[in-house]
Amino acid sequence: MNTNPSATINNPICFQHYRDLPAEMFAESMPAPSAAPSLIELNTNLLDQLGIDSSWFGSQQALSVLSGNSINEANHPIAMAYSGHQFGNWSAVLGDGRAHMLGQVKTAEGRYIDLQLKGSGRTQFSRGGDGRATLGSVIREYLLSEAMAGLGISTTRSIAMLTTGDSVAREQLNPGAILVRSAESHLRVGSFQFARSQSIQTQSIQAESIQAQSIQEDSAQPPATIDGVKALADFTIVRHFPELEQSSSKYLDLLSAVGKRQASLIAEWMLVGFIHGVMNTDNVSITGETIDFGPCAFMDEYNPQKVFSSIDVQGRYAWDQQPTIGQWNLTRLAETLLPLFDDNEEKSVEMAQQRLAEFIPQFQQSFQAGLMRKFGFTEGSDQTRQLTTEMLAAMEADGVDFTVFFNNLTRVAEGESEPVLINLFNDAEVASSLIEQWQALRAKDSDSLLSMRQANPAVIARNHQVQFAIDAAVEDNDFLPFKRLCRVLANPYQIDPADHELMAPPKSEQRVTRTFCGT
């Protein structure tokens, strides 16, 4: 591996902030070299938004670094450690099994964002996996994360995508690829769970040592070792929640701050029909970003119990279960922080329960406010809530497409005739009655119309369109459908007439009913 490639452009990856954490929270890990790397997409729009010069990212030095063929000796890559509850089952050691943190890049505003390679080879946490990513899974994450950004929802972003020239074996041989991912942070609830599990392990070793040294003595158990959890919590507050630093209850406030961001994020997901698919604690961002796009999807027909993930056979992460799971995941975070709340365990539990009780009301407030905007109501009332409940029930009964309905509802509010909406339903009489009630209740000022449009995208990253783009790239080396989707999803509220077919729901033969994790 070349460790000192010649270059005339400075590498902007300047820090590795995670090295400030206890050593057990990460592992030194070198990306695997790529046979014949090639840059296939550079997200210049994102780099422009961040105020980062794109020159280096298009250089040969960048290609060498981002493909794993060279490293910066002064800033070695790492793989981050974390634990997780996966579908409710505990895994003590997970970690980045196919990702390498290169460090941080400074934005024009003076913020630092993470730069991570995904699909860049084995790490100490690969657990028998090859650490690689297929081109299809990389395209999928790129498109879905950019779709989320276009909708204005907090998310990790893709800076670049490149092919490696290697083959990756799954059900068949697939072209390999690497995603260059950016994020405010890659810390997860699972990061705190790992820190806590390490503390418990350390405590157990200390207890055994004391017992071995003094079997005859009546020694008390040593106090719980929480140094790792405290160090991680302090790091998180300093880096991402600096407003909490001077608080006398900063660790409780951290729990509340994470919960508030998650409640808002999940509400925003659901309001555009998004189903994350794997809301395991290792996929829950501390900073409230959408992270790890595996078997996720936007639903077509409205169905609150909708599940896409091939591995979620119990419907644990269905569309309507996401807020409940959000609180469950937040409770797991609270468990790790308990020793920091108060020396008295019973009091700590009581404090945590009080903060956890905030979550569902915060979600409901965000969701209901968003739902009112989607229907064009300026505020919620008993009448508007009753109508939205009945309208959603009618949509579910008739299998009405979620995005098409709200887009057409907005068009009717903007002056289009009502049949465009009524024709979506099987029972025209029920639909007409509900729309008549809606017309009587909705606000008719221009500000409300603008707010309604901004709540209702005309296009989403539909499964069949994403799959079409993947198939074209993988099978025919044709990236035009991918680039077209990227362009359209960047502004999903205003669609050029030439792209109108991307608004259409799938035909029966186009439906993607199951999605899969990229590993």
Side-chain angles (χ1 to χ4, degrees):
M1 179 181 292
N2 179 14
T3 60
N4 188 27
S6 60
T8 57
I9 307 172
N10 290 332
N11 185 335
I13 308 170
C14 47
F15 291 110
Q16 187 60 274
H17 287 150
Y18 294 108
R19 291 186 181 277
D20 294 341
L21 291 171
E24 64 268 18
M25 293 302 302
F26 60 87
E28 300 276 354
S29 188
M30 297 298 113
S34 298
S38 176
L39 180 67
I40 52 178
E41 187 69 13
L42 179 62
N43 196 340
T44 53
N45 287 337
L46 173 57
L47 292 171
D48 288 343
Q49 290 168 24
L50 297 173
I52 297 173
D53 187 353
S54 62
S55 300
W56 180 81
F57 289 92
S59 70
Q60 281 301 117
Q61 185 199 47
L63 182 62
S64 184
V65 171
L66 301 179
S67 64
N69 286 346
S70 65
I71 60 171
N72 182 349
E73 284 288 6
N75 197 32
H76 278 194
I78 63 171
M80 297 179 65
Y82 43 85
S83 304
H85 278 90
Q86 298 188 309
F87 292 88
N89 299 310
W90 172 245
S91 295
V93 181
L94 293 171
D96 290 332
R98 57 174 184 150
H100 295 83
M101 185 70 64
L102 296 184
Q104 284 73 44
V105 179
K106 191 175 183 179
T107 71
E109 296 178 347
R111 295 186 300 114
Y112 288 95
I113 61 166
D114 289 353
L115 201 67
Q116 184 191 63
L117 305 183
K118 188 171 182 181
S120 45
R122 289 179 49 79
T123 76
Q124 290 85 332
F125 306 108
S126 295
R127 296 176 297 157
D130 59 15
R132 296 293 196 176
T134 64
L135 177 58
S137 68
V138 165
I139 289 175
R140 182 176 180 79
E141 177 155 350
Y142 194 108
L143 286 172
L144 269 293
S145 62
E146 288 306 290
M148 201 62 66
L151 291 164
I153 299 174
S154 181
T155 182
T156 56
R157 299 284 299 273
S158 303
I159 283 184
M161 185 170 68
L162 50 102
T163 53
T164 63
D166 300 294
S167 294
V168 177
R170 294 295 182 260
E171 291 82 5
Q172 59 187 26
L173 287 180
N174 298 270
I178 292 174
L179 185 78
V180 184
R181 183 164 72 180
S182 67
E184 180 183 350
S185 175
H186 280 81
L187 291 177
R188 309 136 187 271
V189 169
S191 305
F192 282 82
Q193 290 181 298
F194 182 82
R196 182 61 180 150
S197 69
Q198 293 297 298
S199 296
I200 293 172
Q201 185 178 10
T202 300
Q203 178 189 359
S204 176
I205 292 171
Q206 289 175 342
E208 291 174 4
S209 175
I210 290 173
Q211 188 176 26
Q213 292 173 21
S214 184
I215 297 176
Q216 302 303 319
E217 297 178 13
D218 184 19
S219 301
Q221 282 283 77
T225 304
I226 58 170
D227 289 350
V229 178
K230 184 177 184 301
L232 181 57
D234 288 339
F235 175 94
T236 302
I237 289 171
V238 169
R239 293 286 176 197
H240 306 296
F241 300 91
E243 68 277 9
L244 306 181
E245 283 191 76
Q246 303 307 315
S247 171
S248 59
S249 57
K250 63 181 181 180
Y251 302 116
L252 272 169
D253 294 342
L254 174 62
L255 176 66
S256 291
V258 173
K260 188 174 182 179
R261 291 193 186 187
Q262 282 294 320
S264 176
L265 178 67
I266 293 169
E268 290 175 339
W269 286 352
M270 293 178 65
L271 288 164
V272 291
F274 182 73
I275 304 165
H276 185 280
V278 277
M279 287 178 64
N280 300 327
T281 56
D282 56 299
N283 292 334
V284 179
S285 164
I286 291 298
T287 52
E289 294 171 281
T290 311
I291 192 170
D292 289 334
F293 296 83
C296 64
F298 291 86
M299 66 179 170
D300 297 309
E301 75 282 1
Y302 176 65
N303 175 4
Q305 290 81 47
K306 189 67 176 179
V307 174
F308 284 100
S309 171
S310 62
I311 51 180
D312 190 7
V313 294
Q314 301 298 324
R316 177 181 174 89
Y317 301 141
W319 181 82
D320 64 351
Q321 294 303 304
Q322 292 177 121
T324 302
I325 290 299
Q327 187 178 49
W328 192 93
N329 289 334
L330 192 66
T331 303
R332 307 287 78 78
L333 175 62
E335 290 169 351
T336 72
L337 297 172
L338 279 178
L340 301 178
F341 296 157
D342 195 272
D343 292 336
N344 182 294
E345 184 177 356
E346 186 175 332
K347 189 175 179 181
S348 282
V349 170
E350 183 179 345
M351 289 175 167
Q353 288 174 336
Q354 290 173 352
R355 298 300 180 103
L356 290 167
E358 301 167 350
F359 182 85
I360 293 299
Q362 286 173 344
F363 162 78
Q364 290 174 336
Q365 181 179 8
S366 294
F367 183 79
Q368 284 299 321
L371 196 61
M372 292 302 104
R373 286 193 296 273
K374 289 183 78 68
F375 276 96
F377 300 139
T378 54
E379 59 184 25
S381 66
D382 290 342
Q383 283 180 299
T384 58
R385 282 188 285 271
Q386 177 65 28
L387 178 61
T388 56
T389 298
E390 291 180 7
M391 191 76 86
L392 290 171
M395 290 169 60
E396 181 182 5
D398 287 354
V400 174
D401 187 273
F402 189 79
T403 303
V404 169
F405 169 80
F406 282 108
N407 181 42
N408 284 356
L409 190 73
T410 307
R411 290 166 58 191
V412 170
E414 293 169 340
E416 197 156 330
S417 60
E418 293 181 359
V420 70
L421 199 54
I422 295 172
N423 292 340
L424 298 176
F425 293 84
N426 296 328
D427 193 326
E429 185 176 344
V430 169
S432 296
S433 174
L434 290 172
I435 293 167
E436 183 179 348
Q437 295 175 57
W438 167 73
Q439 289 279 32
L441 290 172
R442 74 176 180 86
K444 296 181 173 62
D445 58 275
S446 58
D447 287 344
S448 295
L449 279 177
L450 178 61
S451 177
M452 187 178 182
R453 170 49 70 197
Q454 291 174 338
N456 294 321
V459 66
I460 54 172
R462 292 188 183 271
N463 273 342
H464 70 294
Q465 296 289 356
V466 171
Q467 193 59 50
F468 178 77
I470 290 172
D471 291 343
V474 173
E475 297 174 8
D476 301 321
N477 197 34
D478 178 7
F479 288 89
L480 289 179
F482 161 78
K483 291 180 181 294
R484 183 189 188 198
L485 264 186
C486 284
R487 173 176 52 78
V488 171
L489 294 172
N491 184 2
Y493 304 99
Q494 294 182 344
I495 306 302
D496 188 284
D499 298 315
H500 270 197
E501 79 270 16
L502 296 181
M503 298 165 56
K507 301 174 183 177
S508 58
E509 67 272 16
Q510 294 174 316
R511 287 187 179 273
V512 177
T513 57
R514 293 199 305 163
T515 55
F516 299 86
C517 181
T519 48

